[in-house]
Amino acid sequence: MASSLDRLLASTDVSDPSDFPDTAEAPGLRVLDDALRCDICRDFYDAPVSLACGHSFCSACIRSALPASATCPSCRKPASEVHIRKNGAVESAVQAWKAARPLILRLANEEHERKTRPPPPRDTRTHSKDPPRKRKRSGTPLTVSEDEIIILPSSPVASGSATPDALPETVECPICQKLVHSPRINMHIDSGCKRHIAETVPNATVPDPKGKQKQQWSLLLNKAGGAAATKTRDRGKGKSRHKDTSEGDAEPEHLPKVAYDIHPQRRVAEMLAEWGLPTHGDKNALVRRHSRWIVLYNANVDRAPENRRTVEQLRLELRKAEEAEGKTRKGTVDDPVAYQRANKTAFAKLTEAARPKKPVPKREDAGRQEATEGARAKDAIDVDAS
């Protein structure tokens, strides 16, 4: 408990809109960073979905919150899973902002430092007030004599002349009348018309469009037949077959909710085994595992196709969530006195962190207070003596 408390109090690497300068120096950045965050987890949207009221949340967050309260967490209007719709535009905006956020944050901080930096001292040294000398232009005419003027013209390309980009790919050699690559025509002539000859494909035939169309139809029919045969083979394998979303190019569908009260423990274990998930534990543990799997899987379906995770990655995420839940799950305390003694240091840290901090007096104020108290004590002694 003490180690987890220390990590919680010392954790500072948390992304927040307050990372950016205030609105006066960087207008809109804090508002934009906050608008792309979920109101439930306060992190950037992960597979964002929208309700009928228009509010957006992470798919996993809202699917976990609706069973507890069938209302929108923002406006408290009635809502259910039937109202959930994907929000691809928000997902694209979040991905772009997460990629650009470090650069924008660095530029904003640099601009803030530049504005708050004290100005450099001005140079008070006097400069010569002589007018600058005029430079002669390179294109001005050079006067040789009073009667003769020579101008150095540039050498523009004559209009209509062939440029290297306008040359054909191959040209005919004027000596051997063979096709040669244009850039190598001079080397071909220097080699005595023996090298750098362009290769030609004799008797090149144009493909028949009808034959190509037949080939495409046969390829399509073969794919359909292979898919039908695979489906027939899979139908006979029974319930022990593990499901996988990579079995086809079709869009995956959401998993339906399950009424676990009408199913025995053996059936819940079979539903877990269909996805290759662990089946150990009592019925309550199996129900928690399967309901969490439905939330993770449906949230993955709500992601864009390029951002979706594989089934193996979802299994790993489920296992990590169960391990984290096992570490944070509250256990029963048999002896409260012994538990209080064992965690006395952690309780003291929490109490100290919750107390308001008193301002520490400065050294001068403390010295004045001690002198005043000393004078008061001396006056009291004089009164008593008299």
Side-chain angles (χ1 to χ4, degrees), residues 15 32 50 90 97 129-130 238 249 263 301 324 328-329 372:
S15 172
L32 175 61
S50 299
V90 175
W97 175 247
K129 297 183 179 180
D130 297 337
D249 297 334
H263 292 293
V301 174
T328 58
R329 187 177 298 171
T372 305

Side-chain angles (χ1 to χ4, degrees), residues 15 66 95 108 118 182 242 248 282 342:
S15 172
L66 286 179
Q95 295 297 328
S182 301
H242 292 180
D282 55 0

Side-chain angles (χ1 to χ4, degrees), residues 219-350:
L219 181 62
L220 180 61
L221 293 176
N222 289 336
K223 284 186 178 179
T230 306
K231 188 174 182 181
T232 307
R233 289 196 302 269
D234 293 342
R235 192 178 298 169
K237 290 184 180 180
K239 299 178 181 179
S240 60
R241 182 177 65 89
H242 292 180
K243 296 181 179 180
D244 197 341
T245 55
S246 62
E247 291 181 354
D249 297 334
E251 182 73 12
E253 298 180 357
H254 293 87
L255 296 180
K257 299 182 69 174
V258 180
Y260 298 104
D261 295 335
I262 63 176
H263 292 293
Q265 179 177 351
R266 180 176 57 83
R267 175 58 188 148
V268 180
E270 289 177 355
M271 289 189 290
L272 290 170
E274 290 179 359
W275 291 100
L277 302 176
T279 57
H280 60 273
D282 55 0
K283 184 178 179 180
N284 293 332
L286 298 181
V287 168
R288 285 196 305 270
R289 185 177 299 130
H290 192 265
S291 59
R292 180 172 292 171
W293 173 256
I294 290 180
V295 171
L296 291 176
Y297 185 87
N298 290 341
N300 191 50
V301 174
D302 291 333
R303 292 187 177 95
E306 61 271 12
N307 297 329
R308 283 180 189 150
R309 301 170 184 172
T310 62
V311 176
E312 188 60 34
Q313 291 175 339
L314 295 179
R315 295 192 190 106
L316 181 61
E317 186 177 352
L318 177 64
R319 187 177 63 186
K320 290 182 179 180
E322 289 185 343
E323 292 176 355
E325 183 184 3
K327 292 179 181 179
T328 58
R329 187 177 298 171
K330 296 181 180 179
T332 57
V333 178
D334 298 331
D335 190 356
V337 178
Y339 182 80
Q340 186 175 2
R341 290 176 181 173
N343 298 280
K344 185 177 180 180
T345 307
F347 292 152
K349 287 184 179 181
L350 288 175

